[in-house]
Amino acid sequence: MAKYIFVFGGVMSGVGKGVASASVGKILQARGYRVTALKIDPYVNVDAGTMNPTEHGEVFVTFDGDETDQDVGNYERFLDVDLPRDNYMTTGRIYQSVINRERNLEYGGKCVEVVPHIPEEVIRRLRRATAKARAEITIIEIGGTVGEYQNILFLEAARQMHYEQPDDVLFVLVSYLPVPGTLGEMKTKPTQYAVRQVNEAGIQPDFIICRSTAPLDGPRKKKLSVFCNVDESAVISAPDVETIYQVPLNYEKEHLSDKILKKLKLRSRRQDLREWRTMVQRMLRAKTTVKIGMVGKYFATGAFILPDAYISVIEALRHAAGVHRVKLQIDWLNSDDYEKDRAKVKELGGYHGIIVPGGFGSRGVEGKILAIQYARSHGLPFLGLCYGMQLATIEFARNVCKLSGANTTEIDPKTKHPVIHIMPDQAEKLAKKQYGNTMRLGSWPCLLDRRSRSAKLYGTRRINERHRHRYEFNNAYRERLTKAGFSLAGLSPDGQLVEIIELPQHPFFVGTQFHPELKSRPLHPHPLFLGLVAAAKQRAVGRK
Ligand code: GLN
């Protein structure tokens, strides 16, 4: 019988519920249990592909082509596993299958009701994902915050499961304890209210993970224990950390895996976090600082900028930095600024490497192209991801091959030189207005040129990488570009699709049609990010 751990959030969003869920999974996996993790997103969207990245953060693509929440990326990074589309669900997805089933008369002509049929579908999916992963323990993160209208049906599913098998289901509340500057004291009251909110849903948390700027002290543990009806030992301190990969180690300082195993009546097995600990120590001990500029378009919500849209890129950089023992400084460089003032692109001289990440549409594109031109002509290490690769192609076509006005048809459908154009099957889908989950998605094989930098970094010729795009390199321009020194370092096995471009004469200039960041793991950093950080480090050290 598999065990289920539900994780939900109290007080406010954005306190690291995803990292908490992934870390709980990690410490149990380190005890020798087969663990899988699953995210429930309360949105009505069927997947994250159609959600606003500013509000929702990055779209994480699974190997089997699901467009999911960034937390699925956290689970993959912490558990070091590839998760399938079964491990993500939204309100929209649940209703869609219930309605389809109703249309097929699968409810035998009965009235189909929100309760019990919606929670039943949730439970069916939880069990299916667990069975597919052959998991002994499944972590389920319920998005949003308790007390919200949106996630009530998911809490109801959790309550029902607990009612049916109380020994196999456990509840973890991740809460936030503010330390208001004016008081200088950590406050527990919002957490007490959050517990009351879940109590209303018929759920009593077994553990409370207390996120805060500082560690939780004795008096507050006692208070939460008494007011929230949990053991003092079940109140877990979770202060801010330098790297998120410290979180599982911090939980183990409070013996959390022991406590969970005991509650779930699971056998205690030997713990192995050695490799993980070494990785974290390497990250924390780095000395040389490497400055990486992320040239993107950033959306401010009011006075705040949210870099969540690039979370996997940031993590992939951190993994590589750990291996090369460098401290990372990542700066958000707004490509709009270079459009307004072309001279501003010179600020890139202060960086050791730049990344132009993925994106859509025309805003900021000319600024990104200016940044790429600077990187190409100044030997500045460059990694272009998806749109970044496409824009590097445009830059080379315009400025080296003198194909003036070269562009992608995404921006200029009438361009004289469509060096990037839409894939034929994609044009059909757009004509039919089929937008949802129809891009080129998920894992695709790629064959590397034996002599390429990429082949050296990967240490193999055959790779698989994850995609999310509609446009591609236009083969009509292959000859003109390669003659001028542009190298097509990776192609689809049939030779038709350009997947990686390189400039062999440059210290490091690589663009990928896929998203390598999605496959980087702290214990297995991605070869291309290792390559970029190595080149950036060389530039940093060389300058001293
Ligand atoms: N907009 C480009 C395309 O659709 C690139 C997409 C991306 O960067 N993910 O092909």
Side-chain angles (χ1 to χ4, degrees):
M1 196 55 130
K3 307 284 184 178
Y4 297 86
I5 301 178
F6 287 91
V7 181
F8 31 77
V11 179
M12 64 187 198
S13 66
V15 298
K17 222 169 353 104
V19 169
S21 307
S23 300
V24 168
K26 183 77 222 170
I27 56 175
L28 294 168
Q29 185 191 53
R31 300 298 294 262
Y33 282 93
R34 265 199 317 280
V35 177
T36 194
L38 198 144
K39 168 86 186 211
I40 296 180
D41 230 342
Y43 295 99
V44 180
N45 304 58
V46 171
D47 59 42
T50 53
M51 292 181 199
N52 179 347
T54 339
E55 292 167 10
H56 188 261
E58 166 189 274
V59 177
F60 187 83
V61 182
T62 57
F63 71 91
D64 58 354
D66 200 7
E67 296 172 277
T68 72
D69 182 87
Q70 60 187 36
D71 284 325
V72 176
N74 278 324
Y75 313 155
E76 287 205 352
R77 288 186 278 269
F78 278 72
L79 299 177
D80 210 355
V81 291
D82 291 339
L83 298 173
R85 61 170 67 230
D86 305 82
N87 286 39
Y88 179 63
M89 64 173 105
T90 62
T91 299
R93 205 170 274 194
I94 301 294
Y95 273 87
Q96 198 177 44
S97 24
V98 170
I99 290 170
N100 286 342
R101 212 169 293 136
E102 183 275 329
R103 292 289 81 186
N104 297 337
L105 266 183
E106 285 176 46
Y107 291 100
K110 278 211 201 102
C111 293
V112 182
E113 296 184 83
V114 170
V115 181
H117 295 109
I118 296 299
E120 264 173 30
E121 172 62 17
V122 174
I123 294 171
R124 199 181 64 79
R125 282 170 176 258
L126 296 180
R127 295 200 194 284
R128 186 181 62 189
T130 305
K132 276 206 185 168
R134 295 189 301 115
E136 295 165 288
I137 303 172
T138 299
I139 316 285
I140 304 120
E141 178 187 349
I142 301 183
T145 311
V146 294
E148 265 175 45
Y149 221 68
Q150 310 201 61
N151 52 23
I152 283 179
L153 290 167
F154 298 111
L155 291 173
E156 173 59 13
R159 186 199 62 78
Q160 275 185 28
M161 272 186 102
H162 180 260
Y163 176 72
E164 283 159 22
Q165 36 185 132
D167 285 344
D168 304 327
V169 175
L170 191 142
F171 299 124
V172 178
L173 174 74
V174 181
S175 196
Y176 185 72
L177 288 88
V179 186
T182 43
L183 300 177
E185 190 201 355
M186 189 184 287
K187 305 305 281 179
T188 62
K189 190 71 84 255
T191 299
Q192 298 176 35
Y193 285 134
V195 170
R196 254 184 243 166
Q197 291 275 8
V198 269
N199 286 164
E200 267 177 41
I203 289 174
Q204 170 59 42
D206 296 283
F207 292 94
I208 304 176
I209 292 180
C210 299
R211 287 281 301 111
S212 188
T213 46
L216 201 67
D217 59 3
R220 261 147 280 259
K221 272 198 178 187
K222 184 163 262 140
K223 202 170 195 176
L224 282 173
S225 163
V226 173
F227 286 101
C228 303
N229 218 8
V230 291
D231 259 9
E232 241 179 88
S233 68
V235 182
I236 307 295
S237 165
D240 286 350
V241 282
E242 210 172 305
T243 144
I244 53 172
Y245 304 110
Q246 283 170 279
V247 173
L249 302 176
N250 284 355
Y251 286 176
E252 283 307 65
K253 282 184 195 149
E254 306 222 9
H255 309 286
L256 184 56
S257 71
D258 269 334
K259 294 172 186 170
I260 291 178
L261 292 178
K262 203 163 154 209
K263 265 239 144 114
L264 288 173
K265 301 199 165 65
L266 287 171
R267 237 167 7 94
S268 170
R269 297 182 190 162
R270 209 171 62 83
Q271 180 203 64
D272 186 1
L273 275 169
R274 276 170 300 179
E275 215 188 336
W276 192 267
R277 193 165 279 124
T278 311
M279 174 268 295
V280 170
Q281 277 160 359
R282 250 195 341 235
M283 279 188 181
L284 296 177
R285 276 198 206 130
K287 283 193 198 81
T288 316
T289 298
V290 162
K291 281 175 74 175
I292 302 286
M294 284 265 279
V295 185
K297 56 177 178 187
Y298 298 98
F299 299 91
T301 59
F304 302 95
I305 288 182
L306 303 172
D308 256 17
Y310 302 114
I311 196 86
S312 290
V313 182
I314 300 166
E315 291 309 317
L317 276 170
R318 292 201 175 125
H319 305 159
V323 170
H324 289 299
R325 294 167 191 270
V326 296
K327 233 185 189 50
L328 267 184
Q329 180 188 327
I330 304 174
D331 284 354
W332 313 109
L333 307 175
N334 205 338
S335 62
D336 276 344
D337 295 349
Y338 304 149
E339 290 175 13
K340 285 182 214 132
D341 174 12
R342 293 174 69 100
K344 197 163 185 257
V345 78
K346 290 203 192 93
E347 73 177 359
L348 295 180
Y351 289 86
H352 306 121
I354 65 164
I355 289 185
V356 176
F360 295 84
S362 59
R363 188 162 83 82
V365 155
E366 289 302 322
K368 290 183 193 172
I369 293 176
L370 284 172
I372 296 169
Q373 180 179 17
Y374 183 95
R376 180 181 53 76
S377 52
H378 289 79
L380 177 65
F382 163 80
L383 181 59
L385 308 170
C386 203
Y387 215 13
M389 169 271 199
Q390 298 176 353
L391 300 177
T393 306
I394 294 168
E395 191 279 320
F396 194 87
R398 284 184 191 173
N399 300 325
V400 180
C401 303
K402 304 292 172 206
L403 301 173
S404 92
N407 216 328
T408 162
T409 55
E410 176 174 356
I411 294 176
D412 182 2
K414 296 209 181 75
T415 170
K416 210 161 70 201
H417 293 294
V419 288
I420 303 293
H421 65 173
I422 193 151
M423 294 185 269
D425 59 322
Q426 287 296 328
E428 264 172 56
K429 286 173 187 158
L430 291 191
K432 291 190 208 142
K433 291 200 171 6
Q434 295 170 343
Y435 299 114
N437 204 234
T438 59
M439 284 189 230
R440 182 179 178 216
L441 285 166
S443 183
W444 293 77
C446 166
L447 221 49
L448 303 177
D449 181 336
R450 191 172 289 114
R451 296 151 304 178
S452 65
R453 184 191 308 273
S454 297
K456 275 194 205 88
L457 287 167
Y458 277 95
T460 172
R461 282 194 67 205
R462 220 193 143 81
I463 58 165
N464 285 285
E465 291 284 1
R466 299 185 196 171
H467 291 248
R468 183 171 188 258
H469 59 108
R470 295 191 199 276
Y471 295 81
E472 64 171 341
F473 186 100
N474 183 347
N475 290 336
Y477 288 88
R478 275 196 191 185
E479 220 182 287
R480 268 174 281 185
L481 266 71
T482 49
K483 266 203 183 130
F486 203 67
S487 155
L488 311 180
L491 301 176
S492 56
D494 64 2
Q496 287 309 298
L497 303 169
V498 175
E499 312 283 40
I500 306 183
I501 60 99
E502 291 181 5
L503 293 181
Q505 308 307 328
H506 190 282
F508 189 94
F509 193 100
V510 178
T512 61
Q513 184 55 82
F514 49 81
H515 289 276
E517 69 273 19
L518 300 176
K519 281 184 71 176
S520 186
R521 309 269 165 83
L523 296 180
H524 297 102
H526 194 283
L528 296 181
F529 281 87
L530 286 172
L532 173 75
V533 172
K537 181 181 181 183
Q538 206 157 41
R539 200 172 163 89
V541 175
R543 288 231 174 133
K544 267 188 192 159

